[in-house]
Amino acid sequence: MNILLSPPPLLLLLAALVAPATSITTYRPDWNRLRGLARGRVETCGGQLNRLKEVKAFVTQDIQLYHNLVMKHLPGADPELVLLSRNYQELERIPLSQMTRDEINALVQELGFYRKSAPEAKVPPEYLWAPAKPPEDASDRADL
């Protein structure tokens, strides 16, 4: 006689509720800390990218479309988005390892980086100097 043991329904429900919350990394910009944001850099190691297909797709296909966003190869580095001021002072580091390509693109656009239609496309004058500007409702979007 075969007896199948299945977890109690409550345990399954709890697992379903917890799994999405732990598998998705979301970054909420602290606009007070990011005042003066002018450029960004994705730092990563080629070896790390091979195991992170989503981040690799962003780096190899999407990063060239963003104005004032570049890739810097650092041996052994986990992929991070480094946000910089006009004077190249580091404002924030955001880990990208757990993010999907769509999440990274959404984040970069939320931060205000201009996405060109093609790598060689011209950038409108209003996006030349400051890719990120705090939204009007910044007070309710800042990290607590």
Side-chain angles (χ1 to χ4, degrees):
M1 174 185 221
N2 274 343
I3 299 175
L4 292 175
L5 297 176
S6 62
L10 182 58
L11 184 59
L12 289 175
L13 177 62
L14 181 60
L17 291 174
V18 171
T22 58
S23 65
I24 296 174
T25 304
T26 53
Y27 170 79
R28 308 277 297 155
D30 179 350
W31 293 106
N32 292 323
R33 187 171 178 185
L34 296 178
R35 295 216 184 275
L37 175 65
R39 52 186 53 93
R41 172 177 74 220
V42 174
E43 295 180 349
T44 189
C45 169
Q48 297 284 10
L49 283 181
N50 288 333
R51 68 179 176 80
L52 302 169
K53 292 179 184 177
E54 294 280 328
V55 178
K56 183 176 184 175
F58 173 79
V59 168
T60 59
Q61 298 170 30
D62 299 338
I63 201 168
Q64 61 190 343
L65 298 173
Y66 289 98
H67 180 61
N68 282 341
L69 188 62
V70 297
M71 209 287 271
K72 182 174 183 180
H73 181 80
L74 294 176
D78 283 332
E80 291 183 309
L81 173 61
V82 182
L83 302 175
L84 304 165
S85 73
R86 290 176 198 222
N87 300 327
Y88 293 93
Q89 292 177 322
E90 187 176 305
L91 301 173
E92 183 118 22
R93 285 182 172 263
I94 304 163
L96 302 177
S97 300
Q98 302 299 316
M99 297 176 78
T100 67
R101 179 181 182 182
D102 289 339
E103 289 172 331
I104 298 169
N105 274 296
L107 170 62
V108 170
Q109 289 176 29
E110 180 181 0
L111 289 169
F113 286 90
Y114 179 75
R115 184 179 171 116
K116 301 178 281 186
S117 57
E120 64 282 344
K122 293 208 176 227
V123 176
E126 64 268 20
Y127 290 100
L128 287 176
W129 301 110
K133 297 176 187 161
E136 285 126 37
D137 61 342
S139 61
D140 63 320
R141 297 180 73 195
D143 286 335
L144 298 176

